[in-house]
Amino acid sequence: MRTDTPQTIYRKDYTPPTYQVETVELGFDLDPDRTIVASRLVMVSNPESVGEGIELHGVNLQLVSLRMNGRTLYEGDYDISGGILRIPAAPDRVTLEIETLTSPVKNTTLSGLYVSNGNFFTQCEAEGFRSITYFPDRPDVMAKFTVMLRADKNRYPVLLSNGNLVEEGDLDDGRHFAKWEDPFKKPSYLFALVAAKLVCQEENFRLKDGRDALLQVWVEDGNLDKTDYAMQSLKNSIRWDEERFGLELDLDRFMIVAVSDFNMGAMENKGLNIFNTKFVLANPRVATDVDYAGIEAVVGHEYFHNWTGNRVTCRDWFQLSLKEGLTVFRDQEFSADMIGTDSGRAVTRIEQVRTLRQAQFPEDAGPMAHPVRPDSFVEINNFYTVTVYEKGAEVVRMYQTLLGRDGFRKGMDLYFERHDEQAVECDDFRAAMADANGRDLAQFERWYSQAGTPVVTASSRYDANAGAFALTLSQSCPATPGQPDKLPFHIPVAVGLLGADGKDIELTVDGKKAGATAVLELTEPSQTFQFTGVKQAPIPSILRDFSAPIVLDYPYTDEQLLHLFSHDSDPVNRWEAGQRLAMERLLAMTAAAGSGGQLALDDTFIDAMRKILVDESLDPAFRENALLLPSESMVAEQMDMVNPQAIHLARQSMRKAIGSTLRKEFHAQYEANQTPGDYSPDAISAGKRGLKNLALAYLSAAPDDAINMLAQGQFDRAGNMTDRVAALVSLIQSAAPGAADALERFYAEFDNEALVVDKWFAIQAAAPGADVAAVRALMKHPAFTLKNPNRARSLIFNFCNGNPAQFHAPDGSGYAFWAEQVKALDALNPQVASRLARSMDRWRRYAPALQAQMKNALEKVAGAGKLSNDVNEVVSKALTN
Ligand code: TRP
Ligand code: ZN
């Protein structure tokens, strides 16, 4: 939120809190216009503190009264400035009684206490609690909470908070109350309340120790036909954490509540997870396979936070990846285990690699680059990033790669043994991993402290006479803001060697037997690893399973890549070989398109694609991923001077060439991968639909009447949203005659389903023909609103980030639109505005004419008055870094 002057906060300035809070009793008299919050804090001075006096955070609060140990304090006894209430002279043990007033209905930020569809919700991470009441709102202050909620019974029949319901009943004037007690101490960011008209699906679930827990999924009336998958995912998550990590649910009751106005995916409040509806509501009619997978992952993620985040939390917000990187890793492993097969696991891994390259590598190379554990920030909300989350998860994964699954588990056990109910640092996690395994992980710390994506350059030499293969790995890391020079990382590089027959060679590395895949540990700037007993010149498969978040540079020939694409036993590297072949060609075709040359695609490449496409020994989901070309933004990342229209032209013509040459094969796969009968979101069925719909997309890239009819038929007869949306996208992409009519029918059928209306906007925002004028016209649609983040994202973000050829229109209209929307959103919701502000991060890499206009748009936003800290930090870093 807005403060007077944006201040940078540094990790090195951490000091322990002056007081700890033992217990908090909160009383809420809920009213949309005027909510009274009464708080009673028992505080004790902290022996570890160097400072003095009591410090409470508070923003946008109206203080009604303040008492210390029963005595009213007056101005002069305390001081409020810069969002902090200070009581300089206080005894070691005090009871504070504070009464404040807020107006939830006026709160459009969706942080703190707010109203959505007439219901009350809270969102406290990271610093939302301070807009509810005065409190030491920092994660290293952990307290036991008791919460009394009072509200009108008719309008708010459901009153929820963290922990256990201990009392409820009626009050005068049609009001009622509920009292909740959380048995575990927690930081304020995990507090939550819900007061609403909602209904729930509930179930008793037997835990491993024999206890029964009550599980509930709360939604608005009319949505109970969409809660099954979230409930199933919750039960699967509970089981999985018991089995894989020996971690049990520590409460008698666990609730999930869905809300349609929400800034992010979901929030792990203790015992009361609050979710964006997008990650709860699903049935085959309204949700796609991707939506189902998202629900499983996010339900898992929030549940797993109960241990990694809640029981053991962060000392300060610089340690955010301690809980987020670890919990993303856990949800990734959960999703992979739920599929169960090795090839299924590989597909989830491929998707993770794609996210990293698509979003994290650019962040690491841009003006907002920061280490997994940042050293400074202006606005913490800007650091809930792909670096902290996804690169953080890669860092956790590397422990498992280095220590093995069992070693990793030992480290986890020691971490909980040492730190249960504590607020700790990333270093404590690393120490637990090292100590539990007797390993020195000192150098590994650089993954937390150094930003930037390391580049590993590999070269090799085969000595036929000696049967020796030498692999030299050298590392470097580009400069990032504030970090001109980098020290070497500790990088696990998983390597296999393929023979001419395509089989793995049994490895002996530096004299030790290593099986088919060796995990080499690169710790120096450059190291050479000796493989012996190699009887023929091998082809190295380097960075198997993407064993580290790096860029690998090895001078592969096309021939070698084709060999790996056909044979590598490591599915991730097999996919990777295809991506390299495709990227090379996309770059060449982009260069040709930029200079008005011929866009040709070689038969060798198309033939390699054909072989994968028709290989029935491979899972459909793998084949789909192998045939999916790198996105336009991934191509852009590979270029020093980006020409978005040329990239678009190149990629479209590549899709067209593949689609028309492999027409027969795509038709055959389209038929072979139908999923008749009842819809099921399982990985096998979803994989078939994925391949079938990819076939349709390729066919539609080179359309004729028959193909348009195929798409039209699928649209008309689809029994599920996955097939429905795929057909609609194909019709629009190929500008089929029925496209406009299909769009209209789609809206008419689903205008009551907000999440489907989001899809309707999103599809149009990313359509090749959608220019700024078209997007502006859509903003006038009665269903459009900037106030709902899902809706704003579906149209505006999807245009600015998902339609580069139009967003970067040479006349600068896209940039002017962006500036306008960032400012409009900032007045409502700084967190969402600042996400949109990030769309300009890479402005320095565009062709000079575009670059100048992008800079201009950034300056316009930066120069606007009354900017939030959130947006201010992003645009000023974009302009200076
Ligand atoms: N901690 C949440 C998660 O990872 C995400 C989160 C952080 C969040 N800040 C938020 C969600 C603000 C909503 C609003 O699951
Ligand atoms: Zn999280």
Side-chain angles (χ1 to χ4, degrees):
M1 263 314 290
R2 204 160 301 174
T3 58
D4 299 335
T5 41
Q7 266 195 323
T8 302
I9 302 164
Y10 295 92
R11 182 167 63 88
K12 62 173 169 43
D13 291 343
Y14 173 85
T15 54
T18 52
Y19 278 73
Q20 275 294 350
V21 180
E22 282 184 352
T23 57
V24 198
E25 291 163 68
L26 295 171
F28 286 85
D29 277 290
L30 291 158
D31 179 283
D33 297 298
R34 196 174 175 280
T35 287
I36 308 169
V37 184
S39 158
R40 188 191 167 90
L41 312 179
V42 175
M43 302 182 73
V44 286
S45 91
N46 179 9
E48 275 148 54
S49 161
V50 288
E52 260 171 62
I54 292 175
E55 292 191 342
L56 309 175
H57 300 99
V59 291
N60 294 333
L61 294 172
Q62 195 182 322
L63 182 61
V64 177
S65 68
L66 171 60
R67 287 190 302 181
M68 182 162 74
N69 291 342
R71 190 176 73 84
T72 299
L73 300 188
Y74 299 96
E75 269 172 70
D77 298 329
Y78 65 92
D79 152 87
I80 300 179
S81 73
I84 293 180
L85 187 160
R86 262 187 207 83
I87 308 173
D92 281 351
R93 196 178 168 85
V94 302
T95 301
L96 288 183
E97 290 162 282
I98 311 166
E99 222 177 272
T100 51
L101 265 175
T102 58
S103 176
V105 76
K106 292 205 190 102
N107 181 2
T108 59
T109 65
L110 311 185
S111 165
L113 176 63
Y114 66 95
V115 175
S116 166
N117 272 351
N119 295 321
F120 291 101
F121 297 90
T122 55
Q123 169 55 42
C124 292
E125 190 177 6
E127 297 178 337
F129 194 73
R130 61 188 63 184
S131 69
I132 296 176
T133 180
Y134 283 102
F135 194 82
D137 189 15
R138 40 187 291 171
D140 56 353
V141 172
M142 299 171 80
K144 274 202 174 148
F145 281 66
T146 306
V147 179
M148 172 68 97
L149 304 174
R150 296 181 210 91
D152 185 87
K153 193 174 179 174
N154 270 325
R155 288 172 73 186
Y156 314 105
V158 178
L159 302 175
L160 310 175
S161 191
N162 317 87
N164 302 315
L165 178 63
V166 291
E167 213 185 320
E168 60 185 332
D170 289 337
L171 299 163
D172 296 341
D173 302 336
R175 291 171 78 79
H176 69 147
F177 76 91
K179 188 176 176 187
W180 292 82
E181 221 173 63
D182 186 343
F184 295 95
K185 53 180 199 161
K186 65 167 176 288
S188 50
Y189 83 87
L190 290 173
F191 164 80
L193 75 77
V194 173
K197 192 169 254 169
L198 295 174
V199 290
C200 84
Q201 174 179 356
E202 64 181 351
E203 196 171 315
N204 279 304
F205 188 67
R206 178 72 39 95
L207 305 177
K208 203 169 174 190
D209 73 355
R211 281 182 305 131
D212 270 343
L214 175 62
L215 310 182
Q216 298 179 319
V217 180
W218 292 90
V219 296
E220 281 185 9
D221 200 9
N223 281 331
L224 272 182
D225 60 341
K226 305 188 193 79
T227 52
D228 284 353
Y229 199 69
M231 178 62 91
Q232 187 57 50
S233 299
L234 178 58
K235 291 187 284 183
N236 292 344
S237 304
I238 296 173
R239 243 342 138 244
W240 183 85
D241 221 7
E242 290 173 345
E243 279 165 16
R244 175 91 182 252
F245 288 109
L247 298 171
E248 274 201 34
L249 176 58
D250 55 10
L251 295 165
D252 301 332
R253 177 178 181 130
F254 193 88
M255 299 169 278
I256 286 177
V257 182
V259 55
S260 52
D261 294 295
F262 203 70
N263 282 346
M264 307 245 247
M267 179 63 212
E268 70 264 24
N269 317 300
K270 185 79 184 188
L272 180 57
N273 289 358
I274 298 182
F275 274 61
N276 188 323
T277 44
K278 181 175 167 52
F279 294 108
V280 177
L281 304 179
N283 65 29
R285 184 173 163 262
V286 300
T288 63
D289 293 331
V290 172
D291 295 329
Y292 275 89
I295 290 168
E296 179 177 81
V298 178
V299 167
H301 181 95
E302 306 312 330
Y303 177 74
F304 303 141
H305 267 316
N306 192 49
W307 280 93
T308 51
N310 301 4
R311 284 290 284 260
V312 181
T313 196
C314 302
R315 187 193 71 165
D316 55 70
W317 291 120
F318 297 104
Q319 317 297 328
L320 182 57
S321 198
L322 173 75
K323 74 175 177 80
E324 295 304 346
L326 176 53
T327 304
V328 170
F329 171 73
R330 276 152 54 71
D331 86 54
Q332 290 174 347
E333 288 291 274
F334 165 61
S335 294
D337 285 348
M338 292 315 290
I339 298 177
T341 62
D342 282 354
S343 56
R345 277 193 92 80
V347 169
T348 66
R349 188 68 187 132
I350 287 166
E351 282 160 359
Q352 292 154 18
V353 176
R354 196 181 283 120
T355 305
L356 267 178
R357 287 194 179 139
Q358 171 97 19
Q360 201 280 324
F361 285 13
E363 179 164 271
D364 238 349
M368 279 287 288
H370 53 278
V372 163
R373 182 193 56 202
D375 289 318
S376 69
F377 58 72
V378 172
E379 173 51 66
I380 182 57
N381 287 323
N382 284 333
F383 287 80
Y384 287 76
T385 59
V386 267
T387 298
V388 166
Y389 276 65
E390 267 70 27
K391 187 178 182 178
E394 292 299 314
V395 171
V396 173
R397 184 176 295 275
M398 284 189 286
Y399 289 112
Q400 184 169 269
T401 303
L402 289 167
L403 305 170
R405 257 201 198 211
D406 292 345
F408 184 79
R409 171 66 195 269
K410 278 192 212 151
M412 287 284 279
D413 290 349
L414 184 59
Y415 175 65
F416 292 115
E417 197 182 307
R418 284 179 176 173
H419 301 300
D420 191 16
E421 298 197 81
Q422 295 176 16
V424 303
E425 296 174 79
C426 297
D427 281 343
D428 294 308
F429 185 79
R430 185 167 51 89
M433 286 291 153
D435 295 350
N437 291 280
R439 283 282 303 248
D440 179 357
L441 293 173
Q443 188 182 351
F444 196 81
E445 196 258 348
R446 291 178 190 152
W447 283 111
Y448 293 95
S449 60
Q450 298 187 145
T453 307
V455 177
V456 173
T457 304
S459 62
S460 62
R461 230 179 64 100
Y462 178 63
D463 180 340
N465 291 331
F469 181 79
L471 184 67
T472 300
L473 302 176
S474 308
Q475 57 168 311
S476 64
C477 182
T480 49
Q483 295 188 332
D485 303 302
K486 311 291 168 88
L487 295 165
F489 291 85
H490 183 169
I491 308 177
V493 182
V495 175
L497 300 180
L498 271 71
D501 60 357
K503 298 230 163 67
D504 280 323
I505 294 171
E506 282 297 306
L507 304 178
T508 302
V509 192
D510 297 335
K512 277 200 267 337
K513 291 236 176 284
T517 302
V519 178
L520 310 178
E521 296 191 27
L522 177 62
T523 54
E524 304 292 325
S526 185
Q527 272 166 266
T528 298
F529 300 88
Q530 296 289 348
F531 295 79
T532 48
V534 184
K535 300 196 178 68
Q536 47 166 321
I539 296 170
S541 167
I542 309 171
L543 206 69
R544 281 186 158 175
D545 204 39
F546 202 69
S547 60
I550 59 146
V551 171
L552 171 68
D553 186 1
Y554 180 80
Y556 281 117
T557 63
D558 267 16
E559 208 181 319
Q560 290 175 319
L561 288 174
L562 288 164
H563 193 70
L564 292 169
F565 196 36
S566 314
H567 301 294
D568 201 326
S569 68
D570 180 73
V572 173
N573 263 3
R574 193 167 175 186
W575 165 80
E576 172 69 0
Q579 294 293 297
R580 282 177 187 257
L581 288 164
M583 182 60 87
E584 249 177 64
R585 285 156 179 81
L586 280 167
L587 289 170
M589 288 169 80
T590 299
S595 58
Q598 277 289 85
L599 305 192
L601 187 60
D602 55 299
D603 292 343
T604 322
F605 175 72
I606 297 181
D607 208 53
M609 291 299 218
R610 181 205 319 268
K611 279 197 194 121
I612 296 281
L613 176 61
V614 303
D615 187 342
E616 302 287 338
S617 73
L618 296 169
D619 278 357
F622 177 83
R623 287 187 270 158
E624 178 205 353
N625 275 286
L627 270 95
L628 205 58
L629 302 177
S631 68
E632 291 177 25
S633 65
M634 272 154 101
V635 180
E637 277 305 309
Q638 302 300 310
M639 300 173 65
D640 294 327
M641 199 198 280
V642 183
N643 176 346
Q645 287 78 27
I647 294 173
H648 180 68
L649 211 68
R651 192 169 181 277
Q652 290 297 92
S653 74
M654 187 157 167
R655 293 179 66 239
K656 192 170 178 173
I658 298 171
S660 57
T661 312
L662 302 184
R663 194 185 162 113
K664 200 176 87 230
E665 290 83 353
F666 279 126
H667 268 296
Q669 293 302 323
Y670 185 87
E671 294 308 328
N673 288 284
Q674 297 289 327
T675 49
D678 282 349
Y679 171 90
S680 155
D682 71 89
I684 303 283
S685 311
K688 285 187 177 174
R689 276 187 294 273
L691 182 57
K692 178 196 69 185
N693 288 324
L694 176 98
L696 180 63
Y698 267 113
L699 290 168
S700 302
D704 60 15
D705 287 352
I707 289 167
N708 286 338
M709 268 175 59
L710 190 68
Q712 187 71 53
Q714 176 168 324
F715 181 78
D716 294 341
R717 285 183 289 278
N720 60 71
M721 184 52 79
T722 306
D723 288 341
R724 182 70 60 97
V725 161
L728 182 57
V729 168
S730 282
L731 288 170
I732 290 174
Q733 290 280 335
S734 61
D741 182 53
L743 260 176
E744 215 171 290
R745 279 165 51 207
F746 187 85
Y747 184 80
E749 186 174 344
F750 295 106
D751 62 349
N752 278 325
E753 298 287 351
L755 297 170
V756 184
V757 173
D758 290 338
K759 295 183 199 303
W760 184 78
F761 279 110
I763 289 168
Q764 295 179 80
D771 57 10
V772 172
V775 175
R776 285 187 192 278
L778 280 167
M779 286 181 73
K780 297 220 168 73
H781 191 280
F784 186 79
T785 168
L786 269 188
K787 291 191 180 141
N788 177 268
N790 288 357
R791 193 58 48 86
R793 284 186 280 254
S794 72
L795 182 58
I796 296 172
F797 287 51
N798 265 308
F799 176 71
C800 295
N801 303 331
N803 197 344
Q806 292 283 1
F807 177 62
H808 296 279
D811 63 3
S813 55
Y815 310 143
F817 173 76
W818 166 88
E820 222 175 88
Q821 300 313 319
V822 169
K823 286 187 277 181
L825 274 169
D826 200 33
L828 294 168
N829 187 331
Q831 284 187 39
V832 174
S834 125
R835 299 278 156 166
L836 182 62
R838 298 283 311 268
S839 305
M840 289 290 210
D841 269 13
R842 305 293 271 147
W843 67 278
R844 286 176 202 276
R845 313 178 69 254
Y846 286 81
L850 294 179
Q851 202 181 104
Q853 303 196 72
M854 293 174 93
K855 185 174 184 205
N856 191 271
L858 277 163
E859 280 167 346
K860 246 192 221 141
V861 173
K866 287 208 298 182
L867 221 51
S868 68
N869 280 349
D870 310 54
V871 169
N872 194 30
E873 178 173 32
V874 168
V875 294
S876 55
K877 284 184 175 169
L879 285 166
T880 51
N881 289 335

